Amino acid sequence: MIIDVDRSFLEINSIKNLKRSKNPGPNFKISEVNPPDFQLNKFFYKQIGKKHRWVDRLVWEDKKWIEFVENPRVKTFILKDNNNLAGYYETIRDVDKDQSEIAYFGILEEYFGKKCGGYLLSEAINQLFQEGMSRVWLHTCSLDHKNAIKNYLARGMKIFKSEKINLEIN
């Protein structure tokens, strides 16, 4: 079966445009995964992605996961509620162009509706600008969580490209 999917590419080009969201509570902390741990990336990718057709990495062997997370351009950050995992994001930096893609971003289902997504995205964008990036971008599609694009727009990101694609699903 073939389905129509709307894909949107969004960007933010100045920290001045960032509309921050507050920390959802004192127990929530964001930290970089250092040293890289491919098992964390794999866990979040599978858990968050299972309802949103994240499928491109499902065929990756552990070696490919390890190579990806150990790439110096890639950084992973996790959101914890005390010691409980709540969400994550991966960035892929292009330091030559002073820009970074937020490659994957998501909150575990038990944290939906707790303002974690807005906070995590605010902090991701802020961190990248603090590191000297002049542009932060990402893409989303109509298969992602229904509030994904709303969150990106609410943080000050703007759509710079939209397209319709046909996706074959089994």
Side-chain angles (χ1 to χ4, degrees):
M1 175 169 72
I2 295 178
I3 60 170
D4 292 329
V5 176
D6 295 319
R7 185 162 45 188
S8 298
F9 296 80
L10 297 97
E11 67 185 351
I12 185 167
N13 294 300
S14 171
I15 197 166
K16 292 179 207 159
N17 297 330
L18 175 60
K19 297 176 182 113
R20 296 188 73 154
S21 183
K22 292 187 289 192
N23 187 324
N27 301 332
F28 288 92
K29 303 279 186 261
I30 300 169
S31 59
E32 182 179 353
V33 179
N34 193 8
D37 179 352
F38 82 95
Q39 295 286 12
L40 266 174
N41 292 66
K42 191 174 176 179
F43 165 79
F44 278 115
Y45 181 88
K46 287 181 172 184
Q47 287 301 307
I48 294 168
K50 66 185 169 190
K51 289 194 173 180
H52 306 292
R53 293 219 31 95
W54 293 3
V55 296
D56 56 319
R57 294 184 185 177
L58 294 179
V59 297
W60 285 12
E61 300 289 333
D62 287 352
K63 183 177 187 272
K64 175 91 171 168
W65 278 101
I66 292 166
E67 288 171 0
F68 175 76
V69 301
E70 290 183 351
N71 179 329
R73 295 176 49 226
V74 174
K75 290 188 180 184
T76 303
F77 293 82
I78 57 171
L79 174 65
K80 284 187 172 181
D81 173 13
N82 287 320
N83 289 322
N84 299 312
L85 296 172
Y88 91 125
Y89 66 93
E90 293 174 357
T91 60
I92 303 174
R93 290 159 169 77
D94 182 345
V95 291
D96 295 332
K97 294 182 179 176
D98 296 328
Q99 65 180 6
S100 181
E101 175 187 8
I102 299 175
Y104 281 91
F105 175 94
I107 301 296
L108 294 173
E109 219 171 322
E110 55 267 34
Y111 288 93
F112 287 1
K114 297 183 179 181
K115 306 293 183 194
C116 293
Y119 171 66
L120 187 59
L121 184 60
S122 294
E123 294 304 306
I125 293 169
N126 182 60
Q127 176 68 33
L128 289 162
F129 279 118
Q130 296 304 321
E131 291 177 12
M133 298 294 124
S134 60
R135 177 179 184 247
V136 178
W137 71 278
L138 54 78
H139 71 274
T140 188
C141 74
S142 53
L143 298 174
D144 283 338
H145 188 277
K146 63 182 175 134
N147 292 331
I149 198 161
K150 292 178 198 171
N151 185 27
Y152 304 140
L153 294 169
R155 303 288 74 79
M157 299 187 92
K158 303 285 186 215
I159 296 171
F160 69 91
K161 179 181 170 185
S162 296
E163 61 189 10
K164 287 195 179 293
I165 59 173
N166 295 320
L167 186 65
E168 187 170 335
I169 59 172
N170 299 326

